[in-house]
Amino acid sequence: MDINESVTSGGTLGVPNPGGKSNGTPGAQLLSAGTLTGEKVVNTVNDDLGKIEEIMLDVSSGRIAYAVLSFGTILGMGGKLFAIPWQALTLDTRNECFILDVDKERLEKAPGFNSDHWPSMSDPKWAASIHTYYDRRPYWE
């Protein structure tokens, strides 16, 4: 399922807009970033992988670069943050979550950071390594 299929399938995250008629809402293909932050992330076997903390925009290209995923936190404490390439996530509006096709063990070993020490996300070498880890083509190519 790709993001376009899941967003248009309905649910409260995607605003249903049958037939593309204007209904006074932005439509299923246009969502506020605030709507997506805090959403749960699961893998394909429904393991809880955490939640979306931030959505990082590449201002120069006008594209979403990463979702910042928190994993392993208890009551908002501890845990690790991960920059997940936006293309690695699928929005599941029926179940109101994102799907990341990665094993929990692989995520635990992924390059991450803590809330006090963010990486330089605009560094091309760092960015390429993150995309490679999640087997995604960099969005700027």
Side-chain angles (χ1 to χ4, degrees):
M1 162 180 6
D2 74 15
I3 189 116
N4 292 325
E5 290 175 21
S6 60
V7 168
T8 58
S9 66
T12 59
L13 288 176
V15 180
N17 194 357
K21 296 178 184 172
S22 177
N23 61 2
T25 64
Q29 298 298 317
L30 184 62
L31 300 171
S32 108
T35 301
L36 303 175
T37 55
E39 288 302 321
K40 184 168 92 168
V41 178
V42 298
N43 62 16
T44 56
V45 294
N46 210 31
D47 291 331
D48 184 359
L49 300 180
K51 69 176 186 169
I52 302 294
E53 294 291 338
E54 300 285 347
I55 294 178
M56 307 304 292
L57 305 174
D58 179 335
V59 178
S60 64
S61 71
R63 299 173 86 177
I64 299 173
Y66 306 98
V68 176
L69 171 69
S70 64
F71 175 71
T73 60
I74 299 173
L75 301 174
M77 303 296 290
K80 202 170 168 184
L81 298 174
F82 300 91
I84 308 294
W86 188 248
Q87 315 90 297
L89 294 165
T90 301
L91 179 59
D92 179 348
T93 58
R94 283 197 181 97
N95 295 307
E96 298 185 10
C97 65
F98 282 95
I99 299 169
L100 176 61
D101 189 9
V102 66
D103 294 333
K104 200 171 195 175
E105 295 76 27
R106 182 157 171 79
L107 182 61
E108 289 170 345
K109 296 175 185 173
F113 54 98
N114 68 42
S115 60
D116 295 328
H117 298 94
W118 283 54
S120 176
M121 292 185 173
S122 61
D123 173 33
K125 186 176 178 180
W126 176 87
S129 73
I130 294 300
H131 282 80
T132 298
Y133 189 84
Y134 292 100
D135 197 26
R136 299 293 173 201
R137 183 174 176 205
Y139 70 92
W140 60 88
E141 289 183 354

